[in-house]
Amino acid sequence: MGTRWQSLPLQLPPHVLAELLDGGQAFRWNQKALGCWIGIWSSHVLELKQHPDSLQIHWRALTPQTTAEDVHDYFAFDLDFPQLTDELPWRSDPVLKTAIGRYPGLRILRQPLAETLIGFICSSAKRIPQIKQCLENLARAFGTPLTPEYHALPTWEQLASASENDLRACALGYRAKYIHQSAHFLADHPGFLEQISNLSDAQAHQHLLRLPGVGSKIADCVLLFGAHRLAAFPVDTWIAKSMRALYGLPHAKLADIAHFGHIHFGPAAGLAQQFIFSSAKTPAKPPPPNSQKP
DNA sequence: GCACAGGTAGATT
DNA sequence: AATCTACCTGTG
């Protein structure tokens, strides 16, 4: 294809790049070989390559219309994540400090809202590989082809033309009903997703709750990853479990933890959540052997 | 065979 | 208003 490799203004340790692309924010990145990724969003298919000896990342598009601006927008280079991270209360919070230390450079992607909504409606009680499989099935069944190999996710309009059984055939299980009902809800409410940009965080959250299959957690994921509302603080079982333990809140309910997160972490609480979520999945490092015992 | 997964909705207390 | 359950499907 025509496009050449270009440099991405982003340097990350390989495990942080993997977490960014494949840690639960996005569900359409696959590692083809060591340090080589292919991802799809909107009508873009992007290849990423990280040289084994350096942290430098290069990209090239497999779709001819993809521009550097599209890529920079997706990775949200207009935002200063080092600055946002430094403004988190890590100086007074050893849990957060440890989490940031484990995933230096982690950021929040700016994904298309409609696609993010599909992904997270499919996410309930599923692991990441299964979610990815569902979206792959949906793309192949209902999405527009972008290259011989890759399809876009379907639009909500395309999903509305599918029957619930068609959707079940994509291994969605009971989530097929949610996708089906939400597709028809969106067809009946033109501009519903576009309205979100005019709403406050709290209003946008309430707005999304009207969609079938969207509860508090998924609404926050959609806001954080699909609307770039960095204050949104999704509380899932992982975050809940680890925060109860790490912050001494043994009896806190999900809503309590969400409230604590907003108060404690502030306007970029969602970024803090991403560090803690990623870190929580990493088993604690065993204490180093005490080589010089007195 | 059976519990459990980045939850939600509807029923039941 | 606060718990309890059913819901698909793949994985251990």
Side-chain angles (χ1 to χ4, degrees):
Chain A
M1 281 300 161
T3 53
R4 304 172 179 287
W5 288 98
Q6 295 186 245
S7 173
L8 200 65
L10 185 64
Q11 295 187 22
L12 297 173
H15 77 282
V16 178
L17 180 62
E19 183 65 23
L20 174 65
L21 301 176
D22 202 16
Q25 289 193 46
F27 301 112
R28 299 211 71 199
W29 285 93
N30 287 300
Q31 190 163 24
K32 311 300 282 186
L34 198 61
C36 182
W37 297 82
I38 289 188
I40 308 145
W41 79 94
S42 297
S43 57
H44 307 295
V45 180
L46 198 74
E47 195 174 359
L48 249 42
K49 194 173 281 185
Q50 184 168 43
H51 191 76
D53 299 330
S54 78
L55 305 182
Q56 190 54 52
I57 301 162
H58 295 269
W59 67 270
R60 74 175 171 187
L62 302 186
T63 36
Q65 82 285 4
T66 302
T67 66
E69 191 184 346
D70 295 322
V71 175
H72 287 218
D73 188 55
Y74 182 79
F75 286 92
F77 290 132
D78 54 303
L79 287 186
D80 185 349
F81 277 96
Q83 173 74 21
L84 289 166
T85 303
D86 190 58
E87 287 167 6
L88 292 172
W90 58 271
R91 290 173 181 79
S92 57
D93 181 342
V95 171
L96 183 58
K97 185 175 178 179
T98 299
I100 293 172
R102 286 182 175 185
Y103 288 89
L106 193 60
R107 54 173 53 228
I108 305 292
L109 300 171
R110 183 184 282 117
Q111 302 181 73
L113 180 60
E115 296 190 351
T116 309
L117 179 60
I118 298 171
F120 282 96
I121 289 179
C122 292
S123 76
S124 78
K126 270 188 182 296
R127 310 208 182 150
I128 292 171
Q130 291 181 54
I131 303 166
K132 290 169 70 173
Q133 186 60 59
C134 286
L135 296 184
E136 185 61 35
N137 295 342
L138 286 175
R140 233 170 254 293
F142 308 112
T144 304
L146 300 175
T147 73
E149 213 176 333
Y150 299 101
H151 292 240
L153 274 184
T155 62
W156 280 100
E157 191 180 358
Q158 287 170 319
L159 287 170
S161 68
S163 71
E164 187 183 323
N165 273 349
D166 291 339
L167 297 167
R168 280 186 181 260
C170 294
L172 297 197
Y174 61 82
R175 304 154 198 85
K177 184 164 70 176
Y178 297 152
I179 293 285
H180 186 71
Q181 292 178 342
S182 280
H184 287 274
F185 180 94
L186 290 173
D188 292 340
H189 298 263
F192 187 86
L193 294 180
E194 291 74 9
Q195 285 177 263
I196 286 179
S197 60
N198 300 321
L199 301 177
S200 70
D201 289 346
Q203 287 171 330
H205 183 94
Q206 291 303 119
H207 193 69
L208 285 168
L209 291 185
R210 296 177 61 194
L211 289 161
V214 177
S216 194
K217 187 269 181 184
I218 291 180
D220 282 332
C221 285
V222 171
L223 286 175
L224 179 58
F225 303 126
H228 227 63
R229 299 290 183 109
L230 297 189
F233 193 81
V235 179
D236 54 64
T237 52
W238 287 77
I239 281 288
K241 187 179 167 191
S242 63
M243 284 186 62
R244 284 187 190 113
L246 297 170
Y247 289 95
L249 310 163
H251 304 299
K253 290 169 290 184
L254 298 184
D256 300 330
I257 294 171
H259 181 70
F260 175 87
H262 285 122
I263 303 289
H264 181 64
F265 296 119
L271 180 60
Q273 185 269 2
Q274 204 56 26
F275 280 111
I276 293 175
F277 175 71
S278 300
S279 181
K281 293 188 294 187
T282 312
K285 200 175 168 185
N290 197 341
S291 53
Q292 43 175 18
K293 201 164 274 195

